[in-house]
């Protein structure tokens, strides 16, 4: 089997590449990544030593490049992780979100159609459902919850989801969609809440908590997301959407306090800053469909996962310090200068 993983130099895509290389010793993986600010080739350094792994630098929204790639490789599965993924950046500059997240998805699906209707999986997000009130813990996002987005990021992901469903209905493209809650774990880019707070706390810098810190996110360890995507791709019903989450809701403030406690740093580092525009209050996933239909359950409890994650950031300071300093951007040139 040959699998195209887009966005494999980012957080979840890279974890997925390692997961797949280990789980399927006879699979070939091709990783397509544009290496935007969020893509880091050093993240894939172990994979790059594996003969079953190939890296291709390119843009999913570049039709000519993508068509060429699909001519050079005969893919059995295409799994689309590539995206602009940071809500705050989408508020500053929405356009690149529309190009990558919507046009990019269309270009990939057209290539799937043109090359024998290749099985396509879209990695989406629970943010397409908008948010839930803080005072209604009984409410959860199901696959029937209407799409109701808040940010340019979530709107672009929702646009892509609609297009994926349209390609299934109109062209019979074999597709699935997963909508997962917030992930955490190794290789998480240090602009997102958990790695940002870990790296800043270690440097004794202030920890910027938006608003009153009461917003709730539903956290899932990244390997559990990978196992869900693997199951959906291999055993999911074509045309369906699957929510992915592990019933682990926490306020941002509680997360930040827990990180400080684990690092033995004072809570006086917490600084309340202006709220994010349009800030979603609460996300909470009902994962009963993927559990009932595919038998998926998360394996990592939050109390263990957050310890493993903090440990990973302590043991891999070079990885995130090079990102903060900007040095990681030279990695591609260094790796490929003689090739
Ligand atoms: P990320 O920002 O860490 O990684 C995105 C990767 O995509 C980077 O390597 C980047 O270089 C690449 N990329 C961006 N634009 C590209 C383009 N035009 N062509 C090719 N590559 C491009 O993101 P992530 O957190 O790993 O998220 C991966 C996917 O999972 C996204 O689709 C996101 O919407 C979804 N998701 C993320 C979370 C989360 O908590 N992080 C939760 C649910 C769903
Ligand atoms: P983030 O990691 O950006 O993920 P998302 O917005 O996609 O859920 O943010 C998680 C939560 O943390 C969100 O409610 C915003 C909040 N947050 C802060 O309070 N301070 C920060 O510096 C960041 C980056 C996020």
């Amino acid at each position: 089997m040959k699998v195209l993983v887009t966005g494999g130099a980012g957080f979840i895509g890279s974890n997925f590449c390692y997961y797949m290389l280990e789980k399927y010793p006879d699979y070939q993986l091709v990783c397509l990544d544009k290496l935007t600010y969020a893509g880091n080739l050093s993240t894939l350094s172990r994979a790059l030593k594996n003969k079953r792994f190939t890296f291709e630098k390119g843009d999913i929204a570049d039709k000519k490049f993508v068509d060429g790639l699909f001519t050079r490789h005969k893919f059995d599965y295409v799994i689309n992780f590539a995206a602009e993924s940071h809500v705050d950046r989408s508020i500053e500059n929405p356009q690149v979100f529309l190009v990558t997240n919507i046009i990019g998805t269309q270009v990939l699906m057209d290539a799937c159609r043109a090359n024998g209707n290749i099985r396509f999986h879209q990695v989406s997000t629970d943010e397409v459902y908008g948010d839930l009130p803080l005072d209604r813990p009984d409410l959860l996002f199901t696959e029937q919850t209407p799409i109701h987005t808040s940010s340019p990021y979530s709107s672009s992901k929702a646009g892509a989801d609609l297009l994926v469903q349209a390609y299934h209905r109109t062209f019979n493209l074999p597709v699935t969609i997963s909508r997962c809650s917030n992930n955490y774990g190794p290789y998480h880019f240090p602009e997102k809440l958990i790695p940002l707070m870990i790296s800043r706390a270690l440097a004794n810098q202030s920890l910027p908590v938006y608003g009153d810190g009461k917003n709730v996110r539903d956290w899932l360890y990244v390997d559990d997301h990978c196992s869900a995507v693997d199951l959906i791709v291999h055993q999911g019903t074509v045309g369906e959407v699957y929510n992915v989450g592990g019933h682990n809701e926490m306020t941002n403030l509680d997360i930040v306090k827990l990180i400080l406690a684990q690092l033995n740093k004072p809570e006086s580092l917490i600084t309340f800053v202006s709220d994010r525009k349009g800030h979603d209050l609460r996300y909470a996933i009902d994962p009963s469909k993927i559990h009932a239909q595919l038998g998926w359950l998360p394996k990592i409890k939050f109390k263990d996962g957050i310890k493993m994650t903090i440990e990973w950031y302590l043991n891999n300071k070079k990885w995130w310090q090079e990102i903060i300093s900007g040095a990681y951007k030279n990695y591609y040139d260094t790796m490929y200068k003689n090739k």
Side-chain angles (χ1 to χ4, degrees):
M1 288 290 165
K2 198 175 230 189
V3 184
L4 175 64
V5 178
T6 70
F11 165 44
I12 307 173
S14 61
N15 278 283
F16 186 75
C17 287
Y18 286 119
Y19 176 97
M20 293 294 282
L21 284 171
E22 188 169 326
K23 178 149 180 203
Y24 298 102
D26 52 342
Y27 276 30
Q28 304 278 332
L29 254 62
V30 176
C31 166
L32 161 60
D33 199 294
K34 189 180 176 183
L35 297 180
T36 68
Y37 80 92
N40 184 352
L41 202 56
S42 80
T43 299
L44 292 171
S45 53
R46 277 181 294 127
L48 289 163
K49 293 188 187 120
N50 191 321
K51 287 199 172 60
R52 294 184 290 114
F53 182 85
T54 311
F55 180 79
E56 298 266 1
K57 185 173 188 288
D59 186 338
I60 58 164
D62 178 345
K63 180 174 161 44
K64 205 169 156 210
F65 174 83
V66 169
D67 287 349
L69 182 76
F70 277 67
T71 310
R72 278 184 279 130
H73 299 276
K74 297 281 163 239
F75 298 119
D76 299 287
Y77 298 101
V78 173
I79 307 178
N80 184 25
F81 288 89
E84 287 291 337
S85 69
H86 191 38
V87 173
D88 292 330
R89 287 179 187 255
S90 81
I91 296 168
E92 292 307 312
N93 177 17
Q95 190 163 342
V96 66
F97 284 73
L98 305 189
V99 174
T100 286
N101 298 1
I102 302 178
I103 306 290
T105 302
Q106 171 244 316
V107 168
L108 287 172
M109 288 195 297
D110 280 343
C112 287
R113 287 179 58 214
N115 289 275
N117 246 17
I118 300 169
R119 177 78 170 82
F120 179 84
H121 179 74
Q122 175 73 354
V123 179
S124 185
T125 165
D126 62 354
E127 299 192 29
V128 300
Y129 298 121
D131 62 353
L132 295 164
L134 292 175
D135 60 356
R136 288 290 308 276
D138 55 310
L139 295 181
L140 303 172
F141 295 137
T142 72
E143 290 80 0
Q144 277 70 49
T145 303
I147 301 269
H148 186 82
T149 54
S150 313
S151 70
Y153 163 67
S154 54
S155 305
S156 66
K157 294 294 291 184
D161 282 14
L162 295 175
L163 203 58
V164 173
Q165 286 170 317
Y167 269 55
H168 176 60
R169 172 145 176 176
T170 306
F171 304 119
N172 213 15
L173 189 70
V175 304
T176 41
I177 297 174
S178 52
R179 294 184 180 146
C180 190
S181 59
N182 286 62
N183 285 209
Y184 68 100
Y187 302 116
H188 202 179
F189 197 83
E191 68 179 354
K192 304 283 173 67
L193 181 76
I194 289 181
L196 181 83
M197 297 300 165
I198 297 173
S199 58
R200 289 185 69 88
L202 285 171
N204 297 310
Q205 290 170 332
S206 65
L207 307 188
V209 172
Y210 298 165
D212 60 9
K214 301 263 171 63
N215 302 59
V216 169
R217 296 293 183 264
D218 184 357
W219 294 94
L220 185 75
Y221 192 70
V222 63
D223 280 355
D224 284 325
H225 186 184
C226 294
S227 69
V229 171
D230 171 20
L231 260 184
I232 296 166
V233 165
H234 288 100
Q235 293 173 39
T237 305
V238 156
E240 296 274 311
V241 173
Y242 293 90
N243 282 356
V244 183
H247 289 298
N248 183 61
E249 293 177 52
M250 290 184 71
T251 67
N252 294 338
L253 197 53
D254 284 343
I255 294 264
V256 173
K257 285 184 177 169
L258 197 147
I259 291 170
L260 287 170
Q262 301 241 351
L263 292 174
N264 215 6
K265 298 283 181 180
E267 288 190 4
S268 56
L269 288 176
I270 295 173
T271 313
F272 291 95
V273 300
S274 321
D275 210 352
R276 173 185 279 171
K277 288 184 188 132
H279 198 171
D280 279 336
L281 290 173
R282 171 175 165 252
Y283 302 143
I285 280 277
D286 174 354
S288 44
K289 176 176 173 180
I290 188 169
H291 176 57
Q293 292 191 8
L294 304 179
W296 177 87
L297 276 176
K299 290 206 176 89
I300 307 291
K301 292 197 173 66
F302 187 76
K303 72 172 178 34
D304 301 323
I306 194 72
K307 272 198 196 129
M308 279 152 51
T309 302
I310 291 175
E311 199 89 332
W312 189 87
Y313 278 83
L314 285 168
N315 292 332
N316 292 274
K317 283 191 178 149
K318 189 169 179 281
W319 181 85
W320 54 268
Q321 282 171 348
E322 282 188 354
I323 289 175
I324 291 169
S325 75
Y328 75 111
K329 292 193 182 124
N330 304 327
Y331 193 89
Y332 182 82
D333 296 336
T334 318
M335 283 288 294
Y336 285 85
K337 73 171 179 257
N338 297 322
K339 295 190 181 170

